[in-house]
Coordinates of all heavy atoms in Angstrom, one line a residue:
L24 N 167.2 95.8 48.2 CA 166.3 96.4 47.2 C 165.0 95.7 47.1 O 164.1 96.1 46.4 CB 167.0 96.4 45.8 CG 168.2 97.4 45.6 CD1 168.8 97.1 44.2 CD2 167.7 98.9 45.7
G25 N 164.8 94.6 47.9 CA 163.5 94.0 48.0 C 163.4 92.7 47.2 O 162.3 92.1 47.1
A26 N 164.6 92.1 46.8 CA 164.5 90.8 46.0 C 163.8 89.7 46.9 O 163.9 89.7 48.1 CB 165.9 90.3 45.7
D27 N 163.0 88.9 46.1 CA 162.3 87.8 46.8 C 163.3 86.7 47.2 O 164.4 86.6 46.5 CB 161.2 87.3 45.9 CG 160.1 88.2 45.8 OD1 159.8 88.9 46.7 OD2 159.4 88.1 44.7
E28 N 162.8 85.9 48.1 CA 163.6 84.6 48.4 C 163.7 83.8 47.1 O 162.8 83.7 46.3 CB 162.8 83.9 49.4 CG 163.3 82.6 49.8 CD 162.7 82.0 51.0 OE1 161.6 81.4 51.0 OE2 163.3 82.3 52.1
G29 N 164.9 83.3 46.8 CA 165.1 82.4 45.7 C 165.9 83.1 44.6 O 166.2 82.5 43.5
L30 N 166.2 84.4 44.7 CA 167.1 85.0 43.7 C 168.4 84.4 43.9 O 169.1 84.4 44.9 CB 167.1 86.5 44.0 CG 168.1 87.2 43.0 CD1 167.5 87.3 41.6 CD2 168.4 88.7 43.4
C31 N 169.0 84.0 42.7 CA 170.3 83.4 42.7 C 171.2 84.3 41.9 O 170.8 84.7 40.8 CB 170.4 82.0 42.1 SG 169.4 80.8 43.0
I32 N 172.4 84.5 42.4 CA 173.4 85.3 41.6 C 174.6 84.4 41.3 O 175.1 83.8 42.2 CB 173.9 86.5 42.5 CG1 172.7 87.3 43.1 CG2 174.9 87.4 41.7 CD1 172.0 88.2 42.1
V33 N 174.9 84.3 40.0 CA 176.1 83.5 39.7 C 177.0 84.4 38.8 O 176.6 85.2 38.0 CB 175.6 82.3 38.8 CG1 176.8 81.4 38.4 CG2 174.6 81.5 39.5
A34 N 178.3 84.2 39.1 CA 179.3 85.0 38.3 C 180.4 84.0 37.7 O 180.7 83.0 38.4 CB 180.0 86.1 39.1
R35 N 180.9 84.3 36.6 CA 182.0 83.5 36.0 C 183.3 83.8 36.7 O 184.2 83.0 36.7 CB 182.1 83.7 34.5 CG 181.0 83.2 33.7 CD 181.1 83.4 32.3 NE 182.2 82.6 31.7 CZ 182.6 82.7 30.4 NH1 182.1 83.6 29.7 NH2 183.6 81.9 30.0
Q36 N 183.4 85.0 37.2 CA 184.6 85.3 38.0 C 184.3 86.4 39.1 O 183.3 87.2 38.9 CB 185.8 85.8 37.2 CG 185.7 87.2 36.7 CD 187.0 87.6 35.9 OE1 188.0 86.8 35.8 NE2 187.0 88.7 35.3
Q37 N 185.0 86.4 40.2 CA 184.8 87.5 41.2 C 186.2 88.2 41.4 O 187.2 87.6 41.4 CB 184.4 86.9 42.5 CG 183.1 86.1 42.5 CD 182.7 85.6 43.9 OE1 181.7 86.0 44.5 NE2 183.5 84.7 44.4
T38 N 186.1 89.5 41.5 CA 187.3 90.3 41.7 C 187.6 90.5 43.2 O 188.7 90.9 43.6 CB 187.2 91.7 41.0 OG1 186.0 92.3 41.4 CG2 187.2 91.5 39.5
A39 N 186.5 90.3 44.1 CA 186.7 90.5 45.5 C 185.9 89.4 46.2 O 185.1 89.8 47.1 CB 186.3 91.9 45.9
G40 N 186.1 88.2 45.8 CA 185.4 87.0 46.5 C 185.8 87.0 48.0 O 187.0 87.2 48.3
R41 N 184.8 86.8 48.8 CA 185.1 86.8 50.2 C 184.9 85.4 50.8 O 184.0 84.7 50.5 CB 184.1 87.7 51.0 CG 184.2 89.1 50.7 CD 183.5 90.0 51.7 NE 182.1 89.6 51.9 CZ 181.1 90.1 51.2 NH1 181.4 91.0 50.3 NH2 179.9 89.8 51.4
G42 N 185.8 85.1 51.8 CA 185.7 83.9 52.6 C 185.3 84.2 54.0 O 185.1 85.4 54.3
R43 N 185.2 83.2 54.8 CA 185.0 83.5 56.3 C 186.1 84.2 56.9 O 187.2 84.1 56.4 CB 184.7 82.1 57.0 CG 183.3 81.5 56.5 CD 183.2 80.1 57.0 NE 183.2 80.0 58.4 CZ 183.9 79.2 59.2 NH1 184.8 78.4 58.5 NH2 183.9 79.1 60.4
H44 N 185.8 84.8 58.1 CA 186.8 85.5 58.9 C 187.6 86.5 58.0 O 188.9 86.6 58.2 CB 187.8 84.5 59.5 CG 187.1 83.4 60.3 ND1 186.2 83.7 61.3 CD2 187.1 82.1 60.2 CE1 185.7 82.6 61.8 NE2 186.2 81.6 61.1
G45 N 187.0 87.2 57.1 CA 187.6 88.3 56.3 C 188.6 87.8 55.3 O 189.4 88.6 54.8
R46 N 188.7 86.4 55.1 CA 189.7 85.9 54.1 C 189.2 86.2 52.7 O 188.0 86.4 52.4 CB 189.9 84.5 54.3 CG 190.5 84.1 55.6 CD 190.7 82.6 55.7 NE 190.9 82.2 57.1 CZ 190.1 81.3 57.8 NH1 189.2 80.7 57.1 NH2 190.4 81.0 59.0
K47 N 190.1 86.1 51.8 CA 189.9 86.3 50.3 C 189.5 85.0 49.7 O 190.1 83.9 50.2 CB 191.1 86.9 49.7 CG 191.0 87.2 48.3 CD 192.4 87.8 47.8 CE 192.3 87.9 46.3 NZ 193.5 88.3 45.7
W48 N 188.6 84.9 48.8 CA 188.2 83.7 48.1 C 188.7 83.9 46.6 O 188.0 84.6 45.9 CB 186.7 83.4 48.2 CG 186.4 82.0 47.6 CD1 185.8 81.8 46.4 CD2 186.5 80.7 48.3 NE1 185.6 80.4 46.2 CE2 186.0 79.8 47.4 CE3 186.9 80.3 49.5 CZ2 186.0 78.4 47.7 CZ3 186.9 79.0 49.8 CH2 186.4 78.0 48.9
V49 N 189.8 83.3 46.3 CA 190.3 83.5 44.9 C 189.3 82.9 43.9 O 188.8 81.8 44.0 CB 191.7 82.8 44.8 CG1 192.2 82.9 43.3 CG2 192.7 83.4 45.8
S50 N 188.9 83.7 42.9 CA 187.8 83.4 42.0 C 188.1 83.6 40.6 O 187.5 84.5 39.9 CB 186.6 84.2 42.5 OG 186.3 84.2 43.8
E51 N 189.1 82.9 40.0 CA 189.4 83.1 38.6 C 188.3 82.6 37.7 O 187.5 81.8 38.0 CB 190.7 82.3 38.3 CG 191.9 83.0 39.0 CD 193.2 82.3 38.7 OE1 193.2 81.4 37.8 OE2 194.2 82.5 39.5
K52 N 188.4 83.2 36.5 CA 187.3 83.0 35.5 C 187.1 81.5 35.2 O 188.1 80.8 34.8 CB 187.6 83.7 34.2 CG 186.4 83.8 33.3 CD 186.6 84.9 32.3 CE 185.2 85.3 31.7 NZ 185.3 86.5 31.0
D53 N 185.9 81.0 35.4 CA 185.5 79.6 35.1 C 186.2 78.6 35.8 O 186.2 77.4 35.5 CB 185.6 79.3 33.6 CG 184.6 80.2 32.8 OD1 183.6 80.5 33.3 OD2 184.9 80.5 31.6
A54 N 187.0 79.0 36.9 CA 187.8 78.0 37.7 C 186.9 77.5 38.9 O 187.4 76.6 39.6 CB 189.1 78.6 38.2
G55 N 185.8 78.1 39.0 CA 184.9 77.7 40.1 C 183.5 78.1 39.9 O 183.2 78.8 39.0
L56 N 182.6 77.5 40.8 CA 181.2 78.0 40.8 C 181.2 79.1 41.9 O 181.6 78.9 43.0 CB 180.3 76.9 41.1 CG 178.8 77.4 41.3 CD1 178.2 77.8 40.0 CD2 178.0 76.2 41.9
Y57 N 180.7 80.3 41.5 CA 180.6 81.4 42.5 C 179.1 81.7 42.5 O 178.6 82.3 41.5 CB 181.5 82.6 42.1 CG 182.8 82.2 41.6 CD1 183.3 82.4 40.3 CD2 183.7 81.5 42.5 CE1 184.5 82.0 39.9 CE2 184.9 81.1 42.1 CZ 185.4 81.3 40.8 OH 186.6 80.9 40.4
F58 N 178.4 81.4 43.6 CA 177.0 81.3 43.6 C 176.5 81.9 44.9 O 177.0 81.6 46.0 CB 176.6 79.8 43.5 CG 175.1 79.5 43.7 CD1 174.3 79.3 42.6 CD2 174.6 79.4 45.0 CE1 173.0 78.9 42.9 CE2 173.3 79.1 45.2 CZ 172.4 78.9 44.2
S59 N 175.4 82.7 44.9 CA 174.8 83.2 46.1 C 173.3 83.1 45.9 O 172.8 83.4 44.8 CB 175.2 84.6 46.5 OG 176.6 84.7 46.6
I60 N 172.6 82.8 47.0 CA 171.1 82.7 47.0 C 170.5 83.6 48.1 O 171.1 83.6 49.2 CB 170.6 81.3 47.0 CG1 169.1 81.3 46.8 CG2 171.0 80.6 48.3 CD1 168.5 79.9 46.6
V61 N 169.5 84.3 47.8 CA 168.8 85.1 48.8 C 167.7 84.2 49.5 O 166.8 83.7 48.8 CB 168.1 86.4 48.1 CG1 167.2 87.1 49.2 CG2 169.1 87.3 47.5
L62 N 167.7 84.2 50.8 CA 166.7 83.5 51.6 C 166.0 84.5 52.5 O 166.7 85.4 53.0 CB 167.3 82.3 52.3 CG 168.0 81.2 51.5 CD1 168.6 80.1 52.4 CD2 167.0 80.5 50.5

Side-chain angles (χ1 to χ4, degrees):
L24 289 172
D27 287 334
E28 176 163 89
L30 176 70
C31 298
I32 307 289
V33 182
R35 289 181 71 188
Q36 79 177 352
Q37 298 184 116
T38 54
R41 295 200 300 275
R43 290 167 64 228
H44 308 303
R46 293 181 199 125
K47 185 176 167 186
W48 187 261
V49 178
S50 311
E51 286 177 19
K52 193 161 201 166
D53 296 330
L56 175 68
Y57 316 118
F58 170 101
S59 301
I60 185 167
V61 175
L62 301 176

